[in-house]
Amino acid sequence: MIRNFVLAVLLICSLLIGTLSVPTFAAGKASECVGCTIVFRSIELYVNSKQQNIEKSLEEWCGFLPGELSSICKLIVRFEGSTIIKALENKETPDVICRQLTICEDFKQCTLFTSSTTKASTKTFKRESKVGSWWLDLIKKFIEPFFNTFDNHIPLTDSDGDSHSPSINFGFRGYAWRGQDCNDHDGNIYPGRKSSKYPSSTDHNCNGIYGNDPVTGKSYEDLWCNNTITVNRGVAVLGDSLSAHFRIPPQIFDPRYMNANTFKQVFSVLDLEIDWPMLSWGTAFLNDSYSFLTPGPSSSIYKYMRNNNRCIHRDYINVSVNGARTGGMKDIIKTFKRNQLNDNPMLVFYSLVGNDVCNPAHTFDKFTSPEEFEQNVVTAMNYLDTVLPANSYVAFIGLAQGGYLYQTLQNETHPLGVKYPQMYDYLNCMGSNPCWGWMNTNQTIRDITSQHAALLSTVYNKIIQKYTFKNFKMIYHDFPLYEVLAIWVDKYNGQPKDLIEPFDGFHLSQPGQSLMADVLWNWLSKEHPEVIGSPNPFNKNIQQKFGQQGGY
């Protein structure tokens, strides 16, 4: 679904802000209309902030877009400019403008914005060109290469076929998602490798530790990283958009931040599928200095595990996909690979927290049943048992308590300038709401969705009791929303709404992601210390000898 929605937004040279949320959006004309409305709201906010000619403001806005998109945007303004300028001069709302451009002509019953204090015209301006004809194909050619990789969920650059990418590939499922490969010409060298045929001078597992101790003559790997000292266990996440850390920065709707640098950073995550896995609760390895668009701390389970044992440097894998549910994960999980004989064990989080109850359709029939849920999860576990090395762990995370969304945001204003309930009603009218069950002004519908989500979460403990697997043990934790909330409010004096991504109104924000890692780490430390292992007593030695261990 994400292909259609992003394409729809790009039809008007969008910022990719029109992706709005996870790819459970309805495809086709509805998504094109939503994308158009969002982008023209951004343009409207920028134009209204400037005391200058509208045409000049449009040119500036297009100029903020990077590369070819800037040229395409200016070309569209050139041919469609008279219609757009007249509409803006007449204070038409984005809904009306998109109808005039024929993109939303089939959705006159769905309105997001009310008319401004200056009465809007009801006149439809005559247009000489047709939207979606000459420049539709142009945009398709621009965007299509991105999604060839998105559909496969595997690294774009992987010459040796070991599922890890070299330093040239950060996005496109590269090392933002999986530890960086230090030798992309040898399939036996990659993060997480335990044994090797190579001499100690070769960094066979890309953790930056190699060579021999001059006193003992033993390799540093044998001295400081052998399994008699502590467990070498990597971190993996099998999840959805929350674990991928889906985020559309709200700054792109604030005229104060609308500039080429901001838009450049937004487009830099296009090849990351509008996700920020390098700052997520599971596999963050960077901090918020990476971008001013993601303010906040960046704790992660991987960082905690690495601090506990620096021998696992770079051993992280994030196989999270926007819109994934348990049924889809049965296939997605096959992009996760591990060599059972030659690799270290892993701590794998199975965290699909919403899409089994979330869907644009206005029906409960799309909910995954408990029986289907169990079958889907067990199928995934059976696959993991064929690839995970012995002594691994799988941690199930329950479904989110989505009723919190409306409860917290009902009186708040969305970055587009409307109240969240108004946004929910608009998306439901369009059939484009990523989660009709929770992002809904009807309390009965929200309650039924929450009850079913809680029911599905109970299936995990039944699976733990009912099934055993050869190579891993299973543990469970509820989605830690209320633990995160308590810490945020009591310790940091934070506002509950700031734990939710403001634009999509659904996912955890950067502070929420970080606190989720803190909560889960404390749980592992207290209740499952065997998963973590003892701190490596040679961490300081490793740091003194190898510094940042090659970094990221």
Side-chain angles (χ1 to χ4, degrees):
M1 296 281 188
I2 194 170
R3 176 199 305 270
N4 293 327
F5 198 74
V6 174
L7 176 59
V9 178
L10 285 175
L11 293 177
I12 45 177
C13 292
S14 83
L15 317 171
L16 291 176
I17 53 181
T19 44
L20 189 60
S21 193
V22 295
T24 46
F25 269 131
K29 290 185 177 181
S31 57
E32 292 177 13
C33 178
V34 174
C36 177
T37 304
I38 292 169
V39 172
F40 272 100
R41 178 57 170 172
S42 174
I43 294 173
E44 178 190 47
L45 291 170
Y46 185 75
V47 168
N48 291 343
S49 73
K50 297 293 181 179
Q51 300 296 321
Q52 63 185 21
N53 180 277
I54 291 178
E55 185 174 2
K56 182 178 180 181
S57 295
L58 288 174
E59 289 286 333
E60 287 179 353
W61 192 90
C62 287
F64 297 153
L65 303 177
E68 295 178 25
L69 283 178
S70 178
S71 300
I72 297 173
C73 182
K74 291 177 181 178
L75 193 62
I76 295 172
V77 170
R78 178 182 175 186
F79 286 93
E80 306 290 349
S82 61
T83 300
I84 298 170
I85 291 171
K86 286 181 181 180
L88 291 171
E89 286 176 342
N90 282 275
K91 305 297 182 183
E92 302 284 14
T93 67
D95 303 281
V96 174
I97 293 174
C98 291
R99 289 170 196 154
Q100 292 171 350
L101 293 172
T102 74
I103 297 175
C104 293
E105 62 182 349
D106 294 336
F107 303 97
K108 295 179 181 179
Q109 76 279 13
C110 303
T111 299
L112 181 58
F113 301 101
T114 57
S115 299
S116 61
T117 52
T118 301
K119 184 173 178 58
S121 169
T122 58
K123 178 181 178 181
T124 299
F125 300 109
K126 182 179 180 181
R127 303 172 55 256
E128 296 181 358
S129 60
K130 295 182 179 180
V131 171
S133 55
W134 58 273
W135 45 278
L136 174 59
D137 291 337
L138 190 63
I139 296 296
K140 283 183 177 179
K141 290 180 180 179
F142 177 86
I143 198 66
E144 190 66 25
F146 289 96
F147 294 102
N148 291 334
T149 297
F150 294 173
D151 289 343
N152 295 327
H153 316 303
I154 58 176
L156 177 64
T157 304
D158 181 20
S159 299
D160 55 15
D162 59 13
S163 299
H164 292 268
S165 291
S167 59
I168 61 171
N169 185 23
F170 182 70
F172 292 111
R173 292 285 161 170
Y175 73 91
W177 302 88
R178 304 168 186 242
Q180 184 185 135
D181 195 343
C182 53
N183 186 338
D184 200 36
H185 301 289
D186 191 328
N188 294 311
I189 297 177
Y190 51 82
R193 186 83 175 182
K194 177 178 63 176
S195 58
S196 171
K197 63 181 180 180
Y198 297 104
S200 59
S201 57
T202 299
D203 184 9
H204 70 275
N205 55 16
C206 302
N207 68 358
I209 301 172
Y210 55 90
N212 295 322
D213 174 49
V215 177
T216 64
K218 294 183 177 180
S219 71
Y220 289 114
E221 277 280 349
D222 288 340
L223 284 173
W224 297 340
C225 297
N226 73 76
N227 284 323
T228 64
I229 298 172
T230 186
V231 62
N232 294 314
R233 185 175 286 123
V235 177
V237 180
L238 307 172
D240 50 26
S241 52
L242 187 138
S243 294
H245 194 359
F246 182 91
R247 170 176 168 79
I248 297 175
Q251 293 94 327
I252 56 183
F253 296 97
D254 188 335
R256 296 174 299 173
Y257 298 100
M258 290 185 189
N259 55 57
N261 181 51
T262 298
F263 286 9
K264 180 180 179 181
Q265 291 197 47
V266 172
F267 273 91
S268 70
V269 295
L270 171 58
D271 58 13
L272 289 167
E273 304 163 49
I274 324 297
D275 297 324
W276 308 72
M278 61 285 190
L279 297 171
S280 65
W281 68 266
T283 59
F285 57 91
L286 299 178
N287 55 47
D288 65 350
S289 64
Y290 170 76
S291 172
F292 77 94
L293 298 177
T294 53
S298 59
S299 296
S300 75
I301 298 299
Y302 164 72
K303 282 186 178 180
Y304 276 120
M305 292 287 280
R306 179 184 178 274
N307 288 339
N308 190 65
N309 178 14
R310 295 183 71 95
C311 294
I312 72 157
H313 179 68
R314 292 190 184 177
D315 193 6
Y316 60 88
I317 300 174
N318 192 322
V319 186
S320 297
V321 175
N322 297 335
R325 55 196 296 164
T326 56
M329 185 55 69
K330 292 189 298 182
D331 294 321
I332 296 170
I333 198 173
K334 294 175 184 177
T335 66
F336 171 84
K337 297 179 181 179
R338 202 73 167 176
N339 187 307
Q340 290 184 305
L341 295 178
N342 296 315
D343 292 353
N344 286 314
M346 296 205 86
L347 166 60
V348 180
F349 287 88
Y350 187 92
S351 180
L352 297 168
V353 302
N355 292 305
D356 283 276
V357 296
C358 286
N359 196 278
H362 296 189
T363 176
F364 301 115
D365 294 340
K366 297 294 184 179
F367 287 177
T368 302
S369 70
E371 295 75 20
E372 291 174 311
F373 193 86
E374 178 178 340
Q375 181 182 9
N376 293 339
V377 175
V378 172
T379 298
M381 295 303 103
N382 284 330
Y383 172 79
L384 285 181
D385 209 26
T386 67
V387 294
L388 281 177
N391 199 27
S392 292
Y393 284 85
V394 172
F396 295 122
I397 303 299
L399 275 71
Q401 301 84 1
Y404 174 81
L405 300 173
Y406 189 86
Q407 173 188 340
T408 304
L409 299 177
Q410 59 182 315
N411 296 316
E412 302 295 335
T413 300
H414 188 275
L416 292 179
V418 299
K419 295 294 185 180
Y420 280 92
Q422 188 175 344
M423 173 64 79
Y424 296 163
D425 287 342
Y426 168 73
L427 292 176
N428 283 328
C429 178
M430 294 295 298
S432 295
N433 191 328
C435 193
W436 168 80
W438 276 326
M439 298 169 70
N440 200 307
T441 54
N442 186 309
Q443 183 174 344
T444 300
I445 292 174
R446 298 197 307 271
D447 289 346
I448 291 174
T449 304
S450 294
Q451 291 165 9
H452 194 78
L455 176 63
L456 293 182
S457 293
T458 64
V459 175
Y460 284 123
N461 278 322
K462 293 179 180 178
I463 290 174
I464 292 174
Q465 296 169 6
K466 186 176 178 181
Y467 300 90
T468 57
F469 297 93
K470 178 181 178 181
N471 292 304
F472 61 86
K473 295 180 180 178
M474 298 172 287
I475 55 179
Y476 171 80
H477 195 287
D478 285 333
F479 185 79
L481 173 64
Y482 292 110
E483 294 165 278
V484 167
L485 178 62
I487 296 172
W488 180 240
V489 173
D490 297 340
K491 184 176 180 179
Y492 296 102
N493 197 31
Q495 296 295 314
K497 67 181 180 65
D498 293 329
L499 289 176
I500 304 173
E501 279 293 335
F503 192 84
D504 62 60
F506 191 80
H507 300 92
L508 285 179
S509 64
Q510 187 61 50
Q513 291 270 338
S514 186
L515 287 174
M516 180 171 173
D518 294 342
V519 169
L520 292 177
W521 180 255
N522 288 335
W523 164 65
L524 290 171
S525 300
K526 294 178 180 178
E527 298 188 28
H528 299 282
E530 71 280 3
V531 176
I532 298 171
S534 303
N536 190 329
F538 296 105
N539 279 334
K540 289 185 178 179
N541 302 72
I542 295 171
Q543 192 167 10
Q544 289 172 356
K545 176 65 178 177
F546 297 105
Q548 294 301 310
Q549 298 170 250
Y552 294 97

mmCIF file of all heavy atoms in Angstrom, residues 354-384:
data_model
loop_
_atom_site.group_PDB
_atom_site.id
_atom_site.type_symbol
_atom_site.label_atom_id
_atom_site.label_comp_id
_atom_site.label_asym_id
_atom_site.label_seq_id
_atom_site.Cartn_x
_atom_site.Cartn_y
_atom_site.Cartn_z
ATOM 1 N N GLY A 354 0.006 -3.663 16.664
ATOM 2 C CA GLY A 354 -1.256 -3.025 16.338
ATOM 3 C C GLY A 354 -1.990 -3.492 15.102
ATOM 4 O O GLY A 354 -3.226 -3.453 15.055
ATOM 5 N N ASN A 355 -1.292 -3.906 14.078
ATOM 6 C CA ASN A 355 -1.955 -4.103 12.790
ATOM 7 C C ASN A 355 -2.884 -5.308 12.732
ATOM 8 O O ASN A 355 -3.666 -5.434 11.778
ATOM 9 C CB ASN A 355 -0.904 -4.190 11.681
ATOM 10 C CG ASN A 355 -0.212 -2.857 11.477
ATOM 11 O OD1 ASN A 355 -0.846 -1.843 11.247
ATOM 12 N ND2 ASN A 355 1.108 -2.860 11.597
ATOM 13 N N ASP A 356 -2.824 -6.181 13.721
ATOM 14 C CA ASP A 356 -3.775 -7.285 13.759
ATOM 15 C C ASP A 356 -5.161 -6.830 14.194
ATOM 16 O O ASP A 356 -6.129 -7.594 14.106
ATOM 17 C CB ASP A 356 -3.259 -8.407 14.660
ATOM 18 C CG ASP A 356 -2.169 -9.219 13.967
ATOM 19 O OD1 ASP A 356 -2.505 -10.133 13.213
ATOM 20 O OD2 ASP A 356 -0.982 -8.898 14.161
ATOM 21 N N VAL A 357 -5.251 -5.576 14.657
ATOM 22 C CA VAL A 357 -6.568 -4.989 14.936
ATOM 23 C C VAL A 357 -6.759 -3.676 14.184
ATOM 24 O O VAL A 357 -7.819 -3.037 14.301
ATOM 25 C CB VAL A 357 -6.794 -4.751 16.449
ATOM 26 C CG1 VAL A 357 -6.793 -6.061 17.204
ATOM 27 C CG2 VAL A 357 -5.744 -3.791 17.023
ATOM 28 N N CYS A 358 -5.748 -3.254 13.435
ATOM 29 C CA CYS A 358 -5.816 -1.979 12.725
ATOM 30 C C CYS A 358 -5.983 -2.198 11.232
ATOM 31 O O CYS A 358 -5.269 -3.008 10.630
ATOM 32 C CB CYS A 358 -4.547 -1.160 12.968
ATOM 33 S SG CYS A 358 -4.466 -0.426 14.615
ATOM 34 N N ASN A 359 -6.922 -1.439 10.643
ATOM 35 C CA ASN A 359 -7.196 -1.547 9.226
ATOM 36 C C ASN A 359 -8.050 -0.354 8.816
ATOM 37 O O ASN A 359 -8.814 0.158 9.638
ATOM 38 C CB ASN A 359 -7.941 -2.851 8.931
ATOM 39 C CG ASN A 359 -7.908 -3.217 7.460
ATOM 40 O OD1 ASN A 359 -8.697 -2.704 6.664
ATOM 41 N ND2 ASN A 359 -6.990 -4.106 7.100
ATOM 42 N N PRO A 360 -7.946 0.119 7.571
ATOM 43 C CA PRO A 360 -8.815 1.228 7.141
ATOM 44 C C PRO A 360 -10.289 0.847 7.027
ATOM 45 O O PRO A 360 -11.155 1.713 7.090
ATOM 46 C CB PRO A 360 -8.262 1.599 5.753
ATOM 47 C CG PRO A 360 -6.913 0.994 5.685
ATOM 48 C CD PRO A 360 -6.972 -0.231 6.529
ATOM 49 N N ALA A 361 -10.568 -0.447 6.840
ATOM 50 C CA ALA A 361 -11.949 -0.894 6.636
ATOM 51 C C ALA A 361 -12.798 -0.642 7.874
ATOM 52 O O ALA A 361 -12.346 -0.840 9.008
ATOM 53 C CB ALA A 361 -11.965 -2.373 6.284
ATOM 54 N N HIS A 362 -14.039 -0.219 7.661
ATOM 55 C CA HIS A 362 -14.942 0.088 8.762
ATOM 56 C C HIS A 362 -15.667 -1.182 9.212
ATOM 57 O O HIS A 362 -16.892 -1.304 9.133
ATOM 58 C CB HIS A 362 -15.951 1.157 8.329
ATOM 59 C CG HIS A 362 -15.327 2.462 7.992
ATOM 60 N ND1 HIS A 362 -16.062 3.620 7.759
ATOM 61 C CD2 HIS A 362 -14.027 2.828 7.844
ATOM 62 C CE1 HIS A 362 -15.236 4.620 7.485
ATOM 63 N NE2 HIS A 362 -13.999 4.153 7.525
ATOM 64 N N THR A 363 -14.886 -2.120 9.697
ATOM 65 C CA THR A 363 -15.456 -3.401 10.114
ATOM 66 C C THR A 363 -14.518 -4.103 11.079
ATOM 67 O O THR A 363 -13.299 -3.928 11.015
ATOM 68 C CB THR A 363 -15.715 -4.311 8.894
ATOM 69 O OG1 THR A 363 -16.179 -5.580 9.348
ATOM 70 C CG2 THR A 363 -14.444 -4.513 8.080
ATOM 71 N N PHE A 364 -15.104 -4.889 11.978
ATOM 72 C CA PHE A 364 -14.304 -5.699 12.888
ATOM 73 C C PHE A 364 -13.888 -7.016 12.243
ATOM 74 O O PHE A 364 -13.111 -7.773 12.819
ATOM 75 C CB PHE A 364 -15.098 -5.986 14.169
ATOM 76 C CG PHE A 364 -15.517 -4.745 14.908
ATOM 77 C CD1 PHE A 364 -16.872 -4.431 15.044
ATOM 78 C CD2 PHE A 364 -14.585 -3.888 15.455
ATOM 79 C CE1 PHE A 364 -17.267 -3.290 15.723
ATOM 80 C CE2 PHE A 364 -14.970 -2.742 16.135
ATOM 81 C CZ PHE A 364 -16.320 -2.430 16.271
ATOM 82 N N ASP A 365 -14.406 -7.281 11.067
ATOM 83 C CA ASP A 365 -14.105 -8.545 10.404
ATOM 84 C C ASP A 365 -12.642 -8.668 10.007
ATOM 85 O O ASP A 365 -12.160 -9.779 9.735
ATOM 86 C CB ASP A 365 -14.983 -8.707 9.151
ATOM 87 C CG ASP A 365 -16.462 -8.857 9.481
ATOM 88 O OD1 ASP A 365 -16.762 -9.208 10.644
ATOM 89 O OD2 ASP A 365 -17.301 -8.602 8.601
ATOM 90 N N LYS A 366 -11.941 -7.544 9.938
ATOM 91 C CA LYS A 366 -10.536 -7.564 9.558
ATOM 92 C C LYS A 366 -9.609 -7.895 10.725
ATOM 93 O O LYS A 366 -8.406 -8.044 10.543
ATOM 94 C CB LYS A 366 -10.135 -6.207 8.957
ATOM 95 C CG LYS A 366 -10.872 -5.847 7.672
ATOM 96 C CD LYS A 366 -10.520 -6.782 6.538
ATOM 97 C CE LYS A 366 -11.196 -6.347 5.237
ATOM 98 N NZ LYS A 366 -10.836 -7.235 4.102
ATOM 99 N N PHE A 367 -10.177 -7.965 11.931
ATOM 100 C CA PHE A 367 -9.359 -8.358 13.084
ATOM 101 C C PHE A 367 -8.813 -9.774 12.877
ATOM 102 O O PHE A 367 -9.525 -10.656 12.390
ATOM 103 C CB PHE A 367 -10.185 -8.356 14.371
ATOM 104 C CG PHE A 367 -10.532 -6.998 14.902
ATOM 105 C CD1 PHE A 367 -11.338 -6.884 16.032
ATOM 106 C CD2 PHE A 367 -10.073 -5.844 14.309
ATOM 107 C CE1 PHE A 367 -11.678 -5.638 16.553
ATOM 108 C CE2 PHE A 367 -10.398 -4.594 14.810
ATOM 109 C CZ PHE A 367 -11.206 -4.495 15.935
ATOM 110 N N THR A 368 -7.572 -9.993 13.283
ATOM 111 C CA THR A 368 -7.027 -11.348 13.307
ATOM 112 C C THR A 368 -7.660 -12.091 14.475
ATOM 113 O O THR A 368 -7.683 -11.594 15.604
ATOM 114 C CB THR A 368 -5.500 -11.318 13.469
ATOM 115 O OG1 THR A 368 -4.928 -10.561 12.407
ATOM 116 C CG2 THR A 368 -4.926 -12.726 13.449
ATOM 117 N N SER A 369 -8.167 -13.278 14.223
ATOM 118 C CA SER A 369 -8.774 -14.055 15.303
ATOM 119 C C SER A 369 -7.673 -14.640 16.190
ATOM 120 O O SER A 369 -6.530 -14.785 15.758
ATOM 121 C CB SER A 369 -9.620 -15.192 14.730
ATOM 122 O OG SER A 369 -8.787 -16.179 14.138
ATOM 123 N N PRO A 370 -7.995 -14.997 17.438
ATOM 124 C CA PRO A 370 -6.986 -15.621 18.300
ATOM 125 C C PRO A 370 -6.397 -16.888 17.689
ATOM 126 O O PRO A 370 -5.205 -17.160 17.844
ATOM 127 C CB PRO A 370 -7.760 -15.924 19.587
ATOM 128 C CG PRO A 370 -8.858 -14.899 19.612
ATOM 129 C CD PRO A 370 -9.247 -14.708 18.172
ATOM 130 N N GLU A 371 -7.230 -17.661 17.000
ATOM 131 C CA GLU A 371 -6.744 -18.897 16.387
ATOM 132 C C GLU A 371 -5.747 -18.593 15.262
ATOM 133 O O GLU A 371 -4.692 -19.240 15.160
ATOM 134 C CB GLU A 371 -7.916 -19.707 15.840
ATOM 135 C CG GLU A 371 -8.879 -20.231 16.900
ATOM 136 C CD GLU A 371 -9.802 -19.152 17.468
ATOM 137 O OE1 GLU A 371 -9.974 -18.093 16.799
ATOM 138 O OE2 GLU A 371 -10.343 -19.350 18.568
ATOM 139 N N GLU A 372 -6.094 -17.624 14.416
ATOM 140 C CA GLU A 372 -5.175 -17.220 13.346
ATOM 141 C C GLU A 372 -3.896 -16.638 13.923
ATOM 142 O O GLU A 372 -2.796 -16.901 13.429
ATOM 143 C CB GLU A 372 -5.840 -16.173 12.453
ATOM 144 C CG GLU A 372 -6.987 -16.664 11.609
ATOM 145 C CD GLU A 372 -7.665 -15.521 10.875
ATOM 146 O OE1 GLU A 372 -7.989 -14.499 11.520
ATOM 147 O OE2 GLU A 372 -7.853 -15.644 9.655
ATOM 148 N N PHE A 373 -4.052 -15.854 14.962
ATOM 149 C CA PHE A 373 -2.910 -15.220 15.616
ATOM 150 C C PHE A 373 -1.926 -16.271 16.110
ATOM 151 O O PHE A 373 -0.719 -16.190 15.858
ATOM 152 C CB PHE A 373 -3.408 -14.350 16.774
ATOM 153 C CG PHE A 373 -2.383 -13.411 17.343
ATOM 154 C CD1 PHE A 373 -2.184 -12.160 16.778
ATOM 155 C CD2 PHE A 373 -1.640 -13.767 18.459
ATOM 156 C CE1 PHE A 373 -1.254 -11.279 17.321
ATOM 157 C CE2 PHE A 373 -0.714 -12.902 18.998
ATOM 158 C CZ PHE A 373 -0.516 -11.646 18.432
ATOM 159 N N GLU A 374 -2.457 -17.266 16.796
ATOM 160 C CA GLU A 374 -1.593 -18.341 17.302
ATOM 161 C C GLU A 374 -0.900 -19.073 16.159
ATOM 162 O O GLU A 374 0.315 -19.317 16.212
ATOM 163 C CB GLU A 374 -2.420 -19.326 18.123
ATOM 164 C CG GLU A 374 -1.604 -20.502 18.649
ATOM 165 C CD GLU A 374 -2.430 -21.457 19.501
ATOM 166 O OE1 GLU A 374 -3.498 -21.054 20.001
ATOM 167 O OE2 GLU A 374 -2.000 -22.626 19.639
ATOM 168 N N GLN A 375 -1.638 -19.389 15.118
ATOM 169 C CA GLN A 375 -1.056 -20.103 13.985
ATOM 170 C C GLN A 375 0.045 -19.274 13.324
ATOM 171 O O GLN A 375 1.108 -19.797 12.979
ATOM 172 C CB GLN A 375 -2.149 -20.433 12.964
ATOM 173 C CG GLN A 375 -1.644 -21.202 11.754
ATOM 174 C CD GLN A 375 -2.740 -21.467 10.736
ATOM 175 O OE1 GLN A 375 -3.847 -20.944 10.852
ATOM 176 N NE2 GLN A 375 -2.438 -22.276 9.740
ATOM 177 N N ASN A 376 -0.217 -17.983 13.149
ATOM 178 C CA ASN A 376 0.772 -17.113 12.511
ATOM 179 C C ASN A 376 2.059 -17.021 13.325
ATOM 180 O O ASN A 376 3.167 -17.114 12.787
ATOM 181 C CB ASN A 376 0.198 -15.705 12.326
ATOM 182 C CG ASN A 376 -0.945 -15.666 11.339
ATOM 183 O OD1 ASN A 376 -1.087 -16.554 10.506
ATOM 184 N ND2 ASN A 376 -1.770 -14.624 11.424
ATOM 185 N N VAL A 377 1.906 -16.844 14.634
ATOM 186 C CA VAL A 377 3.076 -16.710 15.497
ATOM 187 C C VAL A 377 3.866 -18.012 15.542
ATOM 188 O O VAL A 377 5.105 -18.016 15.453
ATOM 189 C CB VAL A 377 2.666 -16.260 16.917
ATOM 190 C CG1 VAL A 377 3.889 -16.242 17.837
ATOM 191 C CG2 VAL A 377 2.011 -14.882 16.877
ATOM 192 N N VAL A 378 3.174 -19.124 15.678
ATOM 193 C CA VAL A 378 3.852 -20.416 15.750
ATOM 194 C C VAL A 378 4.582 -20.711 14.438
ATOM 195 O O VAL A 378 5.695 -21.270 14.441
ATOM 196 C CB VAL A 378 2.859 -21.533 16.095
ATOM 197 C CG1 VAL A 378 3.516 -22.907 15.977
ATOM 198 C CG2 VAL A 378 2.321 -21.334 17.513
ATOM 199 N N THR A 379 3.984 -20.341 13.312
ATOM 200 C CA THR A 379 4.669 -20.522 12.024
ATOM 201 C C THR A 379 5.977 -19.747 12.006
ATOM 202 O O THR A 379 7.016 -20.254 11.550
ATOM 203 C CB THR A 379 3.769 -20.053 10.867
ATOM 204 O OG1 THR A 379 2.587 -20.850 10.837
ATOM 205 C CG2 THR A 379 4.489 -20.180 9.526
ATOM 206 N N ALA A 380 5.936 -18.518 12.508
ATOM 207 C CA ALA A 380 7.155 -17.715 12.583
ATOM 208 C C ALA A 380 8.178 -18.343 13.525
ATOM 209 O O ALA A 380 9.383 -18.373 13.236
ATOM 210 C CB ALA A 380 6.821 -16.295 13.030
ATOM 211 N N MET A 381 7.713 -18.885 14.648
ATOM 212 C CA MET A 381 8.628 -19.505 15.599
ATOM 213 C C MET A 381 9.258 -20.773 15.010
ATOM 214 O O MET A 381 10.446 -21.060 15.252
ATOM 215 C CB MET A 381 7.897 -19.862 16.896
ATOM 216 C CG MET A 381 7.377 -18.648 17.679
ATOM 217 S SD MET A 381 8.651 -17.428 18.118
ATOM 218 C CE MET A 381 8.314 -16.141 16.879
ATOM 219 N N ASN A 382 8.489 -21.511 14.262
ATOM 220 C CA ASN A 382 9.049 -22.708 13.618
ATOM 221 C C ASN A 382 10.182 -22.332 12.663
ATOM 222 O O ASN A 382 11.187 -23.041 12.574
ATOM 223 C CB ASN A 382 7.947 -23.458 12.861
ATOM 224 C CG ASN A 382 7.034 -24.244 13.780
ATOM 225 O OD1 ASN A 382 7.447 -24.701 14.847
ATOM 226 N ND2 ASN A 382 5.779 -24.417 13.374
ATOM 227 N N TYR A 383 10.010 -21.230 11.966
ATOM 228 C CA TYR A 383 11.091 -20.778 11.079
ATOM 229 C C TYR A 383 12.309 -20.363 11.901
ATOM 230 O O TYR A 383 13.453 -20.732 11.572
ATOM 231 C CB TYR A 383 10.633 -19.614 10.205
ATOM 232 C CG TYR A 383 11.772 -19.015 9.418
ATOM 233 C CD1 TYR A 383 12.245 -19.641 8.259
ATOM 234 C CD2 TYR A 383 12.418 -17.854 9.848
ATOM 235 C CE1 TYR A 383 13.324 -19.118 7.550
ATOM 236 C CE2 TYR A 383 13.493 -17.326 9.154
ATOM 237 C CZ TYR A 383 13.944 -17.956 8.005
ATOM 238 O OH TYR A 383 15.014 -17.445 7.311
ATOM 239 N N LEU A 384 12.077 -19.601 12.957
ATOM 240 C CA LEU A 384 13.203 -19.159 13.781
ATOM 241 C C LEU A 384 13.992 -20.350 14.326
ATOM 242 O O LEU A 384 15.216 -20.283 14.462
ATOM 243 C CB LEU A 384 12.712 -18.287 14.943
ATOM 244 C CG LEU A 384 12.299 -16.863 14.619
ATOM 245 C CD1 LEU A 384 11.862 -16.135 15.891
ATOM 246 C CD2 LEU A 384 13.430 -16.092 13.940
#
